Amino acid sequence: MPPKVDREKCDGCKAEKESLCEQICPGDLMTLAEDKKAYCRMPRDCWDCMSCIKACPKGALETRIPYQLGYHVAKLIPMMGTNTITWTCIDINGKVERFQYINRGMLD
Amino acid sequence: MQKTIPKIGLFIYEQGGRLARAIDLDAVIQRLARIKNVTRCEVLTDLAAPLPSIKEDFTSDKFNRILWVGKFSDYQKKTIQSELSSAGLNPYMHEWCDIEEQGIGIDGVDLGIQTQKAILIIQMSLARTRLLEPLEPLELPAIDAALIIGAGVSGLHTATSFMELGKKVYLVEKESGVGGKVASLHRLYPRICDPRCGLEFEIQKIRESDMVEVHTLSKVKSLEGSPGNFDVRIEKQPRYVSEEKCNACGECMKVCPAVIPEEQRSRESAFINETSQQVLNSLKSEKKAIHPAVPMPYPPTFLIERQSCPSECRECVKVCPAQAIELEQTSSEMAFKVGAVIVTTGWDPYQLSKVEEYGYGIYPNVISNLEMERLLESPPAIEEIGFIQCAGSRDERHLNYCSSVCCSVALKHVLYLKEKLPDARCYIFYQDIRTPGFDEELYQKVKSLHNVIFIRGNPSTVKPGDDGKLKIRTEDTFSGKEIDLSLDLLVLAGGMMPSQGSFEIAQLLNLPQNNFGFFESHLQCHPEESQRTGILVGGACRGPMNISQSIESSHRAAMEVLPFLNRTILIEPKYPVLDLTKCDKCKRCMEECPFLSYVFDENGFPSLDLTKCRQCGNCMGICPLIAISLRNNTIKQIAAQIQALKSSFMGKEEPVILAFLCENDAYHAAKSAVEYGLPVPPNVFFIKVPCAGSVNNALVADALAFGIDGVLIAGCKDGQCHYVKGNQLVKTRSGDLSDKLQKMMIDPQRVRFESLEIRDSKKYVELVKSYIEELRAMGPNPFKS
């Protein structure tokens, strides 16, 4: 399932040739529409790696959890620090679990 | 580069038992001495005595950087730095940690908590000290020449000042001569002198010097390069007279058959009568197609307006004794290098024909205040004359600001007119008379004159009367009565607006303008800056001002460019560095840099122009890949500081706030809160940043991930940021993060942006206190362990 794009937040990376989500997507699926908002051009090919979600500096992208894992209330949200990452998992009943890791340093 | 293992000397400076009263110093020392990389750790009660032993330890390589804890005066810091740099320690390898400004030593806080907090603060500074690097100030070559655009009164005065300082000046003017608007004025108050006299005085200096190159009939075509090394190209229109040969004898003017009226204004002939004909005659001035430079005859070369020449006429060529006429001249280009640019493009009068109700351009005896200057040289016999102040100024349909000089100008006109025509009756229609400063004296003088009537209220209609006079209807807003007058002459006080040249230059050099088109600047702190380093603006292109103000303004601009004209530009080595291996050319740094300091390098990566950079760190704040870091204030250092902050040192339930404070104001507010002894809660830790805009979202995320309960980012109020918009940028960014927190089912208020001014220390304490209460209500950060 491709990521959901908050069209108000997305600034198309200031209409760059390649937005950050486009650059990072391993399948080269994300791209900018005519109105300079990101979208996934081949929704069926997205394998939910969540690279684009971590990369988006505006927080405009959100994972759509595949229905086999959870319905629409369920969410999986990463938050990237300099060398930390936190994960917030919300299941279909609204139960929240959180994880925090020190990452392989982005700073080194 | 060889990596050195950080070895830190840690010295706590204890003055008169101040620290011992607040914290358990022995416990602190014991705790800190065990930390990795700390090779010497001790309490100093005096600075002078242990300095030799510190020096000795440094030379024997016991440590290679020093963290100084405690309060040091600037003098002490400088002494320590210079003493140790004589032993070979780079002055940038010192870190200063004032634990007292963070609130250690405030009454009423438990000794245990204070001690814990002190240890944390010192640990944070240690994390920072570990990553210090030796830096050297940079010296970049610069050219000691300046370009001044616009040779009006501001440009001329600035040029001569530079000349006297021994700096080469290129003065570029689009007209054929120098002098600008001031040269067309008649007399100046209060000395009643001719403004040309003052201008001539400056021109005389230029004439005798070879430091000033005047390029008239020229426009700047392009400006490239960076401050200190600008490449300028100018385009010069042909004069058709050789500047080398012409000696301004004037023979050519005698034979020239083509007469051109200086100003062609449509006046509808139906309204011309005896008085208005006199007015028109006084205003009329003609010149030949070949004539001296205008407005001032400098450079002393004549010029030909070829479009007015009769075809095939060669009279001037025949008569010129110096053979200076070169009719085949074409426009030429010139290039030169300068270190800095001063823009003094001045003002234009507002087009009075737009103020339709006063009939300027239709009735011949409605004239502008600039025309009145000319008329005053030989005024026709007139009996009744009206002056309308604010013809278009302070009017939202026209110029929605006060042009600041027109009141004084009208009063000056009345004064001179009454000298020549003592019986003339003058009506002044005004909204408010604004005569700032010493011009009040002028106002009083005019008020005391006989037959000068002030009417508060601008006329609603101006119509031609049967007798050739103007019929005016106005309301006196004091008495509420309608007044009908018939006047011989009506003078409109047109406002000042940015000149056409200002708009052209703004576009060419990418200079920001305000709503009215004047050059935008930070009025209090950097009044003459243009947001483009090395390009300063001075004079009336910055806003309406009188002659002395514009000269002052351009001189202030000149002072500010002097650092670029010194042959070398000194650069503080704390500039941002871009890690090209991480950068993926998203270009956000280029977009958000308030001073356009980034340019593309040959591979399409952003590259920093060090001379333009003000080292505010906004690029470091925006970079989504955290690839940009200010030297010795790197993202890595701040991240290490955050990691060193243990969020549960007061127990899990007690909230801990991390504040990022802008060093221009919020930091001072926090610091003085402690100095005034305000009860700053122990829950808050702060990190000083050069601008709130330099706080990267990744750092805030880090803080939350490490369990810090609330992150406060405090910067300037809107419109007060020294770096133009850093506060707005960080506000938007932290807003994005708050939205994300909401999705994560974390209270978005855990990240807050607040505006603090430098004296807001009480507000700071209140803010922190209320924030702590809020955080208590929210409960601990879910990531807190």
Side-chain angles (χ1 to χ4, degrees):
Chain A
M1 291 284 275
K4 193 156 84 188
V5 182
D6 182 337
R7 293 176 58 80
E8 279 192 8
K9 279 246 150 84
C10 175
D11 62 355
C13 286
K14 317 262 177 180
E16 267 315 293
K17 264 182 272 167
E18 274 202 344
S19 59
L20 286 170
C21 48
E22 186 167 358
Q23 289 177 32
I24 203 142
C25 179
D28 200 13
L29 304 174
M30 296 301 292
T31 189
L32 292 183
E34 295 236 310
D35 59 353
K36 303 289 178 199
K37 306 280 176 188
Y39 78 107
C40 179
R41 56 181 149 197
M42 286 174 164
R44 292 177 57 184
D45 287 351
C46 173
W47 62 49
D48 303 313
C49 73
M50 299 185 68
S51 300
C52 54
I53 290 151
K54 291 182 201 163
C56 179
K58 296 290 285 180
L61 301 179
E62 196 184 319
T63 316
R64 255 187 279 232
I65 307 275
Y67 71 96
Q68 298 93 330
L69 298 179
Y71 295 117
H72 72 280
V73 186
K75 278 188 181 127
L76 180 60
I77 306 167
M79 180 173 73
M80 302 288 289
T82 56
N83 55 355
T84 58
I85 182 163
T86 65
W87 291 94
T88 303
C89 316
I90 305 170
D91 76 3
I92 50 169
N93 301 315
K95 193 181 150 238
V96 184
E97 268 192 280
R98 298 182 203 273
F99 307 95
Q100 188 255 94
Y101 301 99
I102 291 187
N103 238 356
R104 209 170 28 161
M106 264 178 89
L107 288 171
D108 296 314
Chain B
M1 196 175 71
Q2 199 190 346
K3 251 201 163 156
T4 47
I5 299 159
K7 285 183 271 184
I8 306 170
L10 196 162
F11 300 101
I12 300 176
Y13 182 39
E14 162 75 327
Q15 279 166 307
R18 279 163 64 108
L19 289 176
R21 274 197 292 277
I23 55 173
D24 183 351
L25 258 183
D26 293 334
V28 172
I29 287 288
Q30 271 181 16
R31 175 76 191 81
L32 294 173
R34 279 184 285 146
I35 292 177
K36 196 180 155 194
N37 304 123
V38 177
T39 48
R40 180 174 167 181
C41 173
E42 65 182 62
V43 178
L44 311 176
T45 45
D46 170 45
L47 280 181
L51 214 49
S53 88
I54 293 172
K55 238 166 135 171
E56 202 175 295
D57 272 7
F58 169 70
T59 37
S60 62
D61 201 28
K62 194 161 180 193
F63 44 77
N64 50 23
R65 60 202 64 208
I66 305 178
L67 172 62
W68 301 90
V69 180
K71 267 205 176 324
F72 296 88
S73 68
D74 291 347
Y75 175 74
Q76 283 168 331
K77 285 185 188 177
K78 279 178 198 156
T79 319
I80 291 170
Q81 274 171 343
S82 71
E83 276 292 312
L84 283 160
S85 71
S86 67
L89 181 62
N90 185 292
Y92 293 91
M93 296 297 269
H94 297 270
E95 178 69 30
W96 309 91
C97 168
D98 185 354
I99 52 173
E100 281 177 60
E101 70 183 14
Q102 296 253 16
I104 301 294
I106 284 195
D107 298 337
V109 186
D110 179 62
L111 184 98
I113 288 181
Q114 293 256 36
T115 311
Q116 283 292 315
K117 185 174 174 183
I119 292 174
L120 282 179
I121 298 169
I122 299 172
Q123 278 181 338
M124 283 167 76
S125 295
L126 272 174
R128 200 185 167 81
T129 316
R130 264 185 214 116
L131 296 166
L132 286 180
E133 277 175 36
L135 305 179
E136 294 295 336
L138 278 182
E139 277 190 15
L140 298 180
I143 291 159
D144 62 343
L147 166 69
I148 299 177
I149 305 173
V153 69
S154 316
L156 278 176
H157 276 260
T158 319
T160 51
S161 302
F162 274 136
M163 184 191 91
E164 281 160 17
L165 286 168
K167 310 283 180 203
K168 172 99 186 164
V169 179
Y170 297 92
L171 191 55
V172 174
E173 169 60 51
K174 70 174 191 321
E175 298 294 330
S176 56
V178 300
K181 293 281 180 306
V182 171
S184 66
L185 301 181
H186 173 53
R187 299 259 146 188
L188 297 183
Y189 186 81
R191 295 196 176 205
I192 319 193
C193 53
D194 190 324
R196 292 199 169 210
C197 159
L199 290 171
E200 191 55 51
F201 192 63
E202 298 303 312
I203 291 172
Q204 193 56 34
K205 291 184 202 164
I206 292 176
R207 210 188 285 267
E208 286 163 8
S209 162
D210 49 6
M211 294 301 277
V212 182
E213 253 182 49
V214 182
H215 295 284
T216 47
L217 288 173
S218 304
K219 279 187 177 180
V220 178
K221 239 190 135 190
S222 73
L223 182 88
E224 274 154 19
S226 46
N229 288 290
F230 284 120
D231 290 307
V232 189
R233 294 187 75 79
I234 60 169
E235 188 178 20
K236 220 171 167 167
Q237 294 304 321
R239 264 189 122 78
Y240 304 107
V241 180
S242 161
E243 290 197 41
E244 289 95 47
K245 292 182 192 158
C246 174
N247 55 12
C249 63
E251 288 297 326
C252 49
M253 219 162 57
K254 288 179 197 154
V255 297
C256 180
V259 179
I260 37 176
E262 197 172 325
E263 205 178 341
Q264 282 161 336
R265 267 180 37 190
S266 65
R267 306 277 186 185
E268 286 183 29
S269 53
F271 302 113
I272 292 183
N273 66 350
E274 204 177 316
T275 347
S276 48
Q277 190 57 54
Q278 279 178 348
V279 171
L280 282 182
N281 289 345
S282 317
L283 289 179
K284 205 158 104 186
S285 71
E286 287 169 345
K287 60 185 177 192
K288 297 281 185 68
I290 186 163
H291 59 83
V294 284
M296 293 283 280
Y298 184 83
T301 317
F302 277 46
L303 74 148
I304 306 177
E305 293 192 20
R306 284 289 275 159
Q307 70 275 18
S308 309
C309 282
S311 60
E312 301 302 318
C313 164
R314 292 287 179 274
E315 290 301 318
C316 47
V317 183
K318 282 181 212 153
V319 78
C320 180
Q323 276 106 44
I325 314 288
E326 295 174 351
L327 292 177
E328 60 288 345
Q329 265 187 14
T330 50
S331 67
S332 56
E333 273 193 21
M334 254 193 84
F336 45 83
K337 279 170 109 57
V338 295
V341 182
I342 295 184
V343 178
T344 54
T345 42
W347 60 285
D348 272 348
Y350 185 67
Q351 278 175 298
L352 285 168
S353 50
K354 287 189 189 163
V355 194
E356 283 165 357
E357 57 269 35
Y358 299 145
Y360 180 83
I362 300 170
Y363 313 126
N365 39 359
V366 177
I367 63 173
S368 75
N369 47 1
L370 271 178
E371 287 168 319
M372 184 64 182
E373 290 280 344
R374 204 176 332 146
L375 193 75
L376 277 174
E377 285 169 34
S378 54
I382 37 181
E383 283 156 12
E384 310 231 357
I385 172 166
F387 292 86
I388 300 184
Q389 298 313 100
C390 299
S393 300
R394 302 179 67 201
D395 184 337
E396 58 192 21
R397 294 168 302 166
H398 303 287
L399 302 177
N400 205 358
Y401 52 87
C402 169
S403 291
S404 85
V405 296
C406 343
C407 285
S408 303
V409 168
L411 296 173
K412 176 188 85 177
H413 286 168
V414 173
L415 206 63
Y416 299 149
L417 188 76
K418 296 292 271 186
E419 269 176 21
K420 297 207 165 167
L421 305 168
D423 294 329
R425 186 189 276 265
C426 299
Y427 296 94
I428 298 172
F429 306 100
Y430 68 99
Q431 292 184 34
D432 300 285
I433 292 286
R434 293 186 170 177
T435 47
F438 300 126
D439 284 2
E440 176 67 15
E441 192 192 344
L442 172 64
Y443 182 34
Q444 298 301 345
K445 209 184 244 174
V446 172
K447 268 209 295 197
S448 67
L449 290 177
H450 182 57
N451 263 346
V452 178
I453 300 118
F454 285 85
I455 299 173
R456 189 174 190 274
N458 274 0
S460 52
T461 54
V462 175
K463 287 209 169 75
D466 303 330
D467 51 355
K469 291 191 168 191
L470 293 164
K471 278 176 111 61
I472 294 199
R473 166 159 290 196
T474 183
E475 189 192 350
D476 179 1
T477 53
F478 280 135
S479 63
K481 280 182 190 156
E482 287 211 342
I483 301 173
D484 285 299
L485 293 166
S486 70
L487 302 175
D488 294 317
L489 183 67
L490 185 62
V491 183
L492 304 182
M496 295 169 92
M497 57 181 282
S499 66
Q500 188 53 39
S502 302
F503 287 102
E504 286 166 18
I505 288 293
Q507 207 172 18
L508 185 75
L509 307 185
N510 201 352
L511 306 180
Q513 291 170 289
N514 68 9
N515 295 343
F516 308 118
F518 291 107
F519 290 117
E520 178 91 44
S521 55
H522 193 294
L523 261 184
Q524 288 76 30
C525 303
H526 318 285
E528 270 70 36
E529 80 161 26
S530 65
Q531 288 181 33
R532 304 288 168 256
T533 318
I535 304 176
L536 278 288
V537 287
C541 56
R542 261 196 54 225
M545 50 180 81
N546 64 26
I547 296 170
S548 58
Q549 282 163 345
S550 47
I551 296 172
E552 282 165 24
S553 157
S554 58
H555 273 81
R556 273 203 299 270
M559 275 306 290
E560 292 197 32
V561 299
L562 279 182
F564 297 103
L565 303 178
N566 263 350
R567 288 181 181 275
T568 49
I569 304 177
L570 264 187
I571 295 190
E572 173 75 14
K574 295 188 170 181
Y575 49 82
V577 176
L578 178 69
D579 182 350
L580 286 185
T581 54
K582 275 188 215 160
C583 174
D584 66 351
K585 309 178 189 175
C586 84
K587 222 176 79 169
R588 276 168 205 266
C589 47
M590 308 181 102
E591 299 249 339
E592 303 225 338
C593 176
F595 306 106
L596 301 184
S597 312
Y598 282 94
V599 286
F600 284 114
D601 70 3
E602 63 273 24
N603 298 320
F605 285 107
S607 117
L608 180 68
D609 188 334
L610 287 177
T611 45
K612 288 184 186 165
C613 177
R614 308 268 180 102
Q615 312 184 350
C616 65
N618 271 294
C619 46
M620 166 163 126
I622 187 59
C623 182
L625 296 164
I626 46 177
I628 305 179
S629 274
L630 291 173
R631 298 180 84 190
N632 273 359
N633 193 13
T634 57
I635 288 249
K636 206 170 166 180
Q637 277 176 309
I638 302 173
Q641 270 182 292
I642 295 170
Q643 198 169 355
L645 174 54
K646 298 279 172 294
S647 55
S648 50
F649 81 104
M650 287 192 293
K652 200 178 171 186
E653 294 308 312
E654 192 59 19
V656 167
I657 299 174
L658 176 67
F660 291 99
L661 303 182
C662 162
E663 71 179 6
N664 292 318
D665 38 26
Y667 161 70
H668 293 282
K671 196 174 129 196
S672 51
V674 174
E675 280 161 9
Y676 296 146
L678 300 177
V680 182
N683 312 45
V684 59
F685 291 79
F686 68 72
I687 294 175
K688 191 167 81 170
V689 289
C691 171
S694 70
V695 181
N696 198 299
N697 262 358
L699 292 170
V700 183
D702 264 356
L704 294 170
F706 284 119
I708 288 157
D709 298 274
V711 178
L712 176 71
I713 303 166
C716 314
K717 286 195 172 163
D718 265 1
Q720 293 182 359
C721 178
H722 279 221
Y723 305 114
V724 190
K725 54 181 183 181
N727 52 347
Q728 286 157 6
L729 294 176
V730 74
K731 210 165 156 180
T732 341
R733 285 207 300 269
S734 57
D736 287 342
L737 196 64
S738 294
D739 291 348
K740 184 159 195 170
L741 290 181
Q742 192 145 29
K743 281 188 204 154
M744 290 163 66
M745 298 176 85
I746 293 179
D747 201 305
Q749 281 298 308
R750 289 200 190 271
V751 178
R752 261 171 88 159
F753 175 81
E754 290 291 339
S755 304
L756 285 178
E757 283 183 313
I758 193 157
R759 278 188 278 194
D760 280 345
S761 26
K762 271 192 191 138
K763 188 177 160 195
Y764 171 73
V765 176
E766 291 306 315
L767 180 71
V768 170
K769 276 186 177 167
S770 67
Y771 197 18
I772 289 172
E773 285 311 312
E774 264 180 59
L775 291 169
R776 276 203 188 109
M778 287 177 210
N781 180 344
F783 293 109
K784 201 166 182 170
S785 50

